[in-house]
Amino acid sequence: MNIALYPGSFDPITVGHLDIIERAARLYDAVIVAVLHNPNKQGAFPVQTRLAFIERACAHLPNVRAERFEGLLVDYARQAGASVVLRGLRAVSDFEYEFQMAQMNRRLCPGVETLFMMTRPEHAYISSSGVREIATFGGDVSAFVPPCILNDVQAALDAGRRNAHGR
Ligand code: ADP
């Protein structure tokens, strides 16, 4: 089995992420979308919700599953039997950080290869943080998140905004 691990925060999953997942699902026997649980950083959506969003957005992809992970990525990749860590590249600004991470991970675990997939140009500007910001101010994010999770993403961020304003 050729298993690829696609790690990230996916807070929430965007159409840019989904495109990478769909393309990877055609190349690998299995793709694990690994949601990083960082005990020091809560995120906008609980990890459980992020996982549920991914499962729904990927329901049409039988060889894709979502899992939560914490700790060292290479340990998790080894444990999951993944030979490849997949990352998406949007812009040159992504490159420096990704290059450093890939080199460090190679040093820690030479058996796990990092593979980069270029975003589609029409997704290059899409980020989870952008989605959160736009939705928090009541903007329309329908072009940025998979349609099946749109209402839930918008409702959760609307509720967050109302709570923040004490209403
Ligand atoms: P972000 O919060 O910046 O959207 P994540 O940590 O959730 O990022 O991203 C996980 C992986 O997906 C990273 O490799 C990131 O570069 C990639 N990625 C994020 N958005 C896109 C996009 N629009 N197109 C392609 N790859 C993306």
Side-chain angles (χ1 to χ4, degrees):
M1 278 269 273
N2 246 333
I3 302 175
L5 192 71
Y6 181 36
S9 21
F10 305 99
D11 190 25
I13 184 172
T14 67
V15 292
H17 293 133
L18 184 57
D19 177 57
I20 298 283
I21 297 167
E22 284 173 340
R23 285 154 64 193
R26 289 196 285 272
L27 298 172
Y28 294 93
D29 298 317
V31 176
I32 303 172
V33 183
V35 178
L36 174 67
H37 170 68
N38 182 347
N40 301 316
K41 205 172 142 215
Q42 239 224 300
F45 295 92
V47 170
Q48 221 34 54
T49 306
R50 293 185 229 166
L51 289 168
F53 284 164
I54 296 166
E55 298 278 3
R56 261 155 68 190
C58 298
H60 61 299
L61 302 167
N63 59 337
V64 173
R65 65 178 190 272
E67 289 180 0
R68 152 203 157 114
F69 85 102
E70 52 192 305
L72 266 186
L73 176 65
V74 287
D75 286 345
Y76 190 71
R78 255 193 304 233
Q79 185 193 317
S83 50
V84 164
V85 166
L86 202 67
R87 298 288 289 171
L89 282 181
R90 282 165 292 192
V92 180
S93 50
D94 279 343
F95 179 80
E96 212 166 325
Y97 172 75
E98 294 291 344
F99 184 71
Q100 189 185 8
M101 285 298 295
Q103 300 296 343
M104 288 201 293
N105 284 335
R106 176 193 293 284
R107 188 63 197 261
L108 290 174
C109 184
V112 173
E113 199 64 63
T114 303
L115 235 100
F116 295 100
M117 221 179 247
M118 296 297 167
T119 182
R120 281 185 201 283
E122 62 268 35
H123 295 152
Y125 63 94
I126 299 176
S127 68
S128 299
S129 57
V131 166
R132 292 195 303 272
E133 198 155 331
I134 293 169
T136 299
F137 294 110
D140 176 9
V141 292
S142 56
F144 312 134
V145 299
C148 62
I149 64 164
L150 176 63
N151 286 344
D152 288 348
V153 167
Q154 193 77 64
L157 291 171
D158 279 351
R161 177 171 54 137
R162 280 196 299 274
N163 287 342
H165 292 164
R167 277 182 274 143

